[in-house]
Amino acid sequence: MLTQRDSQNRDEPGYPLIPVWTGEQIRAAEKPLLDAGEGEALMRRASWGLAAHILQILQAQRGSVYGATVVGLIGSGNNGGDGLYALASLRRRGVDARAVLLRPTCHTQALTAFCQAGGQLQTTIDDGADLILDAVVGTGFSGSFDAPSLPQDSVVVACDLPSGVDAETGAVRGTAIRADHTVTFGGLKTGLLLGQGRAFSGVLHTVDIGLGAHLPEPAGYVMSELVDIPGTTGGAGITTQAGVDNLLRFRPRDTRRIDHSSGSGGAARNLAGEAVPVLRRRGPDADAHKYSRGVLHLLVGSPRYPGAAQLSVGAALATGVGMAQVQAPDAVAQAVVNHWPETVASDQAERAAAMVIGPGLGDDSQRLAQAEALLQQSRRNAVPCVLDASALELITPELLADAGYAGSLGKHTVLTPHTGEAQKLAERLGDLQLQDALAEQKVLAAAPRLAQLTGAVVVLKGPVTVIAAPGDEPPLLHTEPAPGLATAGTGDVLAGIIGALLATQEESARYCAALGVALHAAAARRLDPRGHGRFGASALLGVLAD
Ligand SMILES: NC(=O)C1=CN([C@@H]2O[C@H](COP(=O)(O)OP(=O)(O)OC[C@H]3O[C@@H](n4cnc5c(N)ncnc54)[C@H](O)[C@@H]3O)[C@@H](O)[C@H]2O)[C@@H](O)CC1
Ligand SMILES: Nc1ncnc2c1ncn2[C@@H]1O[C@H](COP(=O)(O)OP(=O)(O)O)[C@@H](O)[C@H]1O
């Protein structure tokens, strides 16, 4: 039976978590199967899935597959083998599939299968091809890649990973082939979502090649921007072909197509019927009052940056709190109250269920002293707290070493640095491992390291945002593009959103931080679905409540 709360939540968008692995993890999962002599079977499954996706793409593009021209660019390893087997399958469906061998050697059995299906080798890449298949190099990529030039008008499909993209970091080494679609095997790879990998991969499709039980704990979970789609979600440890495709293809504007009336009390499920974790905001209890719902205390703004206070308070109100109270110099507090009359100006944080410390404090020494005192109060009483912007400068080796706190800020504290702020923190804490990870743009390593060093939840912000908690829970990633967020003040909005969630949700700080990041980006994508970036941070406030 559904409770009143469940029925409210069913209308609330949720963000299913999809597991992702590094290329090395996928290769390690394949190893026992390869050792058991199943390599050929894996390759057949991969290539069959690849061909099936190419047929769908051709069908959508041309209205039919018969007579379509596909040119495969074939490398020397198993990636090329997958490509050749897929081309052989396509020929059997009436596709004019040809191959260009880009290296002196290739997978011999796959070449034989291609030739037996009537395939011809050629030395040039035709201008008129409907589709180019990039099967030059996949997870075995080393060194640097020199991408061939491709005809402008052909759709490009990458086999497993666009050639030239690092399977772990998404970095392009040399030049890479830019794909419109990537069909990847065994599970989503981090390199398809991080760095330049996201832009080079196009639409992602996955093919389940039966690695299931061999897959290790994921390197992280990517938050999908979706509501419930019963039966179509890729779950932990299982990546389902239809599931992940649907998840990654859906966009917020498509949500009207999703049937809220069917389903299972709001839980997303994978094709095996298993529940997958979904991040979802809860509304207030019917019998809540403002104090039980949660008071958020914000120490924000300074004479130099009064606007930051307006943004973070406005974001907290639009996200939903029992009460927002602002601690700021009189003129700043007055401006906030004039703009948001429901706000209470207060220098006392006694009733606070959560705090936001930092947006707009700048280098105002008086404000920073107040911030330090409030941080100590949060620490003493374990009050959930967001530390943002210049409040991050309060984190020093001495603060962490403070007796009684075991070298930790505590899992109730959320730090929200962008990579520049994280770099400064790394230097202040003297941690070379973190400095190196940041310098190499290895955000999936950097965020957990900072969480480990501080004992706090870390939101490492950027085009891809990584949320990591101390301990062994895998990091969460937000990768859906929202380039318009690269504008002043959006970080202040994020701090207010996360603060409101900490004050009102019965969930961990890690959960609230991740949900806040998803709500923030979803608001930007609703406001600016095409990514034109023609909005300022304050416009986000108007769409946060949607
Ligand atoms: N291992 C397996 O059993 C399976 C592997 N699969 C496929 O196999 C791929 C991995 O296969 P491999 O381990 O053979 O590796 P790849 O085929 O990805 O790459 C290795 C080959 O590419 C060449 N190469 C490396 N760096 C290069 C560069 N910078 N420029 C040009 N050529 C370069 C190497 O000389 C080597 O021959 C996966 O991406 C996937 O497509 C799938 O068939 C599923 C099963
Ligand atoms: N190119 C981008 N794509 C998506 N999100 C971005 C991009 N650049 C910045 N962001 C997001 O915008 C916000 C900026 O925060 P921050 O740098 O603290 O801004 P400010 O201090 O001006 O408020 C973060 O949430 C970050 O993840």
Side-chain angles (χ1 to χ4, degrees):
M1 200 183 76
L2 290 180
T3 63
Q4 185 186 11
R5 206 164 202 195
D6 287 337
S7 67
Q8 281 172 2
N9 289 335
R10 286 179 63 178
D11 288 334
E12 182 67 34
Y15 301 90
L17 301 180
I18 307 171
V20 288
W21 292 269
T22 64
E24 278 313 309
Q25 285 182 306
I26 300 274
R27 285 171 79 85
E30 284 168 355
K31 185 143 189 327
L33 295 165
L34 297 181
D35 293 347
E38 291 186 40
E40 198 64 16
L42 286 181
M43 192 175 272
R44 294 283 185 161
R45 277 177 227 153
S47 58
W48 182 85
L50 173 59
H53 280 290
I54 291 176
L55 288 170
Q56 277 179 16
I57 293 164
L58 287 172
Q59 183 73 37
Q61 179 195 343
R62 306 171 74 244
S64 74
V65 298
Y66 189 81
T69 318
V70 173
V71 176
L73 310 180
I74 306 299
S76 48
N78 289 329
N79 193 253
D82 291 338
L84 284 166
Y85 276 125
L87 293 174
S89 307
L90 292 172
R91 289 198 68 81
R92 286 192 283 275
R93 293 292 302 271
V95 174
D96 178 8
R98 308 159 191 188
V100 179
L101 302 186
L102 290 186
R103 296 288 175 269
T105 58
C106 72
H107 193 284
T108 15
Q109 283 144 298
L111 181 62
T112 306
F114 172 68
C115 293
Q116 280 172 351
Q120 305 267 320
L121 297 178
Q122 58 185 49
T123 52
T124 53
I125 306 168
D126 321 47
D127 263 354
D130 293 300
L131 189 145
I132 305 281
L133 171 61
D134 160 23
V136 190
V137 63
T139 57
F141 173 42
S142 58
S144 107
F145 186 72
D146 187 11
S149 61
L150 300 182
Q152 295 276 313
D153 298 336
S154 309
V155 171
V156 179
V157 177
C159 169
D160 202 26
L161 188 74
S163 298
V165 169
D166 183 284
E168 181 182 348
T169 62
V172 168
R173 299 205 305 265
T175 51
I177 294 182
R178 190 179 284 270
D180 300 298
H181 297 262
T182 296
V183 181
T184 198
F185 311 128
L188 278 181
K189 291 161 189 85
T190 51
L192 298 170
L193 297 160
L194 299 174
Q196 290 156 286
R198 187 74 187 93
F200 275 78
S201 312
V203 179
L204 300 175
H205 311 263
T206 63
V207 174
D208 182 354
I209 57 170
L211 298 183
H214 299 280
L215 284 166
E217 177 81 357
Y221 286 86
V222 63
M223 292 184 263
S224 179
E225 199 169 280
L226 284 173
V227 297
D228 296 338
I229 313 175
T232 58
T233 310
I238 298 174
T239 310
T240 55
Q241 186 174 331
V244 175
D245 283 351
N246 284 340
L247 284 177
L248 291 172
R249 271 204 213 121
F250 268 79
R251 291 292 174 264
R253 61 179 173 278
D254 295 329
T255 54
R256 62 185 176 277
R257 290 172 19 201
I258 295 159
D259 178 10
H260 289 286
S261 60
S262 62
S264 45
R269 292 180 179 273
N270 64 21
L271 290 184
E274 294 154 339
V276 283
V278 180
L279 302 174
R280 185 180 277 113
R281 177 170 39 173
R282 281 170 174 262
D285 284 333
D287 56 357
H289 56 75
K290 62 188 175 199
Y291 296 125
S292 70
R293 188 175 172 198
V295 173
L296 178 65
H297 186 88
L298 301 103
L299 194 142
V300 291
S302 60
R304 184 148 183 228
Y305 301 108
Q310 309 240 0
L311 289 170
S312 43
V313 169
L317 293 170
T319 306
V321 284
M323 186 194 286
Q325 58 185 33
V326 64
Q327 180 176 352
D330 286 349
V332 176
Q334 194 55 56
V336 171
V337 175
N338 288 346
H339 202 88
W340 310 107
E342 57 273 59
T343 314
V344 174
S346 170
D347 289 344
Q348 302 301 320
E350 262 62 49
R351 279 185 187 272
M355 302 173 179
V356 173
I357 309 179
L361 301 184
D363 57 3
D364 185 316
S365 54
Q366 203 184 346
R367 297 295 278 146
L368 288 173
Q370 291 168 349
E372 189 164 9
L374 197 61
L375 172 59
Q376 294 299 3
Q377 186 177 333
S378 144
R379 220 176 172 193
R380 256 192 324 275
N381 304 326
V383 179
C385 173
V386 180
L387 284 187
D388 183 48
S390 45
L392 293 167
E393 288 169 25
L394 300 174
I395 303 169
T396 57
E398 297 72 42
L399 180 94
L400 291 176
D402 198 343
Y405 299 108
S408 162
L409 286 167
K411 282 185 179 188
H412 59 279
T413 311
V414 178
L415 314 182
T416 54
H418 53 60
T419 43
E421 289 163 336
Q423 189 62 261
K424 280 194 191 161
L425 257 170
E427 283 160 25
R428 223 171 21 253
L429 300 179
D431 191 72
L432 290 180
Q433 190 180 329
L434 178 56
Q435 289 178 39
D436 289 349
L438 288 163
E440 292 165 29
Q441 299 181 352
K442 293 193 168 175
V443 286
L444 209 44
R449 178 67 186 161
L450 184 52
Q452 190 191 344
L453 288 171
T454 57
V457 172
V458 169
V459 175
L460 184 57
K461 300 183 294 191
V464 166
T465 292
V466 181
I467 298 95
D472 50 14
E473 286 175 299
L476 307 174
L477 291 88
H478 188 278
T479 64
E480 290 288 330
L485 284 177
T487 184
T490 52
D492 306 330
V493 172
L494 179 64
I497 296 171
I498 297 176
L501 297 173
L502 288 173
T504 58
Q505 307 291 301
E506 296 159 10
E507 300 287 355
S508 67
R510 170 181 182 259
Y511 186 106
C512 293
L515 179 57
V517 168
L519 291 171
H520 183 239
R525 289 162 64 77
R526 270 198 299 279
L527 194 63
D528 179 30
R530 298 193 181 164
H532 290 161
R534 293 172 200 146
F535 67 91
S538 57
L540 289 172
L541 306 183
V543 291
L544 268 177
D546 294 354

